[in-house]
Amino acid sequence: VLKRDGFCCRYCGATAIAAMMHVDHVIPVADGGTNDVENLVAACVECNLGKSDVPLDRAAAGRPSSG
């Protein structure tokens, strides 16, 4: 997942050079999301821990892009 996403946060654009990266669920497990690779994205630790169970499209709308 990290390699597929270029080691770049899908929410804010941070890279693994600047931030610790996590793998996050597009559809949160709390909302029935799975661990299938299609439901996973790279996310920096700040974005992943800060968004809780908010889906990617809603979380990204509330974050400024860094690049």
Side-chain angles (χ1 to χ4, degrees), residues 18-67:
M20 183 186 311
M21 302 301 289
H22 284 186
V23 174
D24 185 37
H25 294 88
V26 175
I27 299 171
V29 173
D31 290 337
T34 68
N35 290 322
D36 292 333
V37 71
E38 297 83 18
N39 190 46
L40 300 173
V41 294
C44 72
V45 67
E46 184 177 328
C47 286
N48 187 40
L49 297 180
K51 75 171 202 56
S52 183
D53 64 350
V54 178
L56 177 65
D57 56 348
R58 286 190 289 163
R63 290 231 177 240
S65 176
S66 67

